[in-house]
Amino acid sequence: MIKKLKTYLIVIALIIPFSYANGQDATVQVALRTPLCDSCHGPNGISKRPEIPTIAGFSYDGFLDSLNSFREKDRPALVVKDETGDEEAMTSISLTITDEEAKALASHYSAIPFEAAEQEYDPVLAAKGQEIHEQKKCEQCHSDGGSNPQDDAAILAGQWKPYLERQISHFKVGRRNSPKKMKRIVDSLTEDEIEALLHFYASNNLAAAR
């Protein structure tokens, strides 16, 4: 296990029993957990790293679903380096989070407005991607062009392109579980259509204004 994660888990193991014994509330739970979350996902869960998603603005249920998918190993975790240079993996971290802590974190991050990533996009491809988003009925689950923060299917508009591209690839090859309806849609997408969708979501900054 990587050095920072090991040290963090030892500290948590020592602190949490004492905290719960003394009536730990959600504020304390968040204070204990968010430093590690933010070390990869950025301050307040707003990512500045293209390979890592922004988690601020996720719906409460969407946040919990995402966390549980790592716990249950329904999706692969990217091993990344945090801001100190230490490596961390989401699957390992998720298994250390209690249900009460998960709920506290979901409340915390869902209350922070989503901020769209600043990234380049091709307007022509973005326009084509919008058509594909509508034709493939992506709008049924990812409404308002993928920008609605209340969608439990997660925000797509303004999310980092490299992150979204990796997730689509995982869905396509079966490395990440998905509803059958979504799997059929993803499997039907060509490489050119995926590229267009990525540019559409990169161009859609509606979520940033909410």
Side-chain angles (χ1 to χ4, degrees):
M1 183 64 66
I2 54 183
K3 181 176 68 176
K4 180 173 180 179
L5 182 55
K6 286 168 63 178
T7 302
Y8 177 81
L9 296 182
I10 290 172
V11 172
I12 288 296
L14 292 173
I15 292 177
I16 284 180
F18 174 82
S19 300
Y20 277 114
N22 288 274
Q24 183 192 51
D25 61 14
T27 302
V28 176
Q29 294 169 9
V30 168
L32 287 171
R33 285 296 184 177
T34 51
L36 185 59
C37 299
D38 290 354
S39 71
C40 287
H41 290 280
N44 294 317
I46 299 170
S47 175
K48 301 301 181 183
R49 303 170 62 180
E51 75 276 16
I52 299 176
T54 285
I55 55 176
F58 273 35
S59 72
Y60 177 88
D61 288 335
F63 184 97
L64 290 178
D65 286 345
S66 183
L67 182 61
N68 286 333
S69 69
F70 283 113
R71 285 172 162 178
E72 297 166 5
K73 298 182 179 180
D74 283 338
R75 60 184 292 185
L78 180 68
V79 177
V80 298
K81 289 185 178 181
D82 68 9
E83 56 191 11
T84 69
D86 288 325
E87 292 184 335
E88 297 175 352
M90 189 61 210
T91 300
S92 300
I93 293 171
S94 68
L95 295 174
T96 72
I97 300 175
T98 68
D99 290 343
E100 289 305 312
E101 289 170 337
K103 293 175 183 176
L105 288 170
S107 294
H108 172 72
Y109 286 111
S110 65
I112 301 174
F114 178 86
E115 289 188 16
E118 296 183 6
Q119 54 191 328
E120 295 182 355
Y121 66 89
D122 184 313
V124 175
L125 284 176
K128 181 179 178 181
Q130 182 174 7
E131 295 178 359
I132 295 168
H133 177 87
E134 295 169 355
Q135 291 170 356
K136 298 290 185 177
K137 303 188 186 302
C138 303
E139 184 72 10
Q140 290 184 357
C141 294
H142 301 283
S143 60
D144 297 332
S147 71
N148 192 331
Q150 299 307 312
D151 285 343
D152 295 334
I155 297 171
L156 301 180
Q159 193 60 270
W160 286 108
K161 284 190 294 182
Y163 166 74
L164 291 179
E165 184 176 21
R166 189 173 74 251
Q167 297 312 306
I168 292 173
S169 175
H170 288 334
F171 284 129
K172 249 187 177 303
V173 301
R175 293 192 67 201
R176 180 175 175 181
N177 291 338
S178 63
K180 291 181 179 180
K181 181 179 180 180
M182 181 174 176
K183 185 66 167 65
R184 287 196 299 270
I185 293 173
V186 171
D187 285 347
S188 73
L189 293 172
T190 66
E191 292 300 316
D192 287 344
E193 288 175 330
I194 291 173
E195 184 69 11
L197 281 171
L198 293 173
H199 282 265
F200 168 59
Y201 297 133
S203 73
N204 192 337
N205 293 319
L206 292 175
R210 290 176 184 268

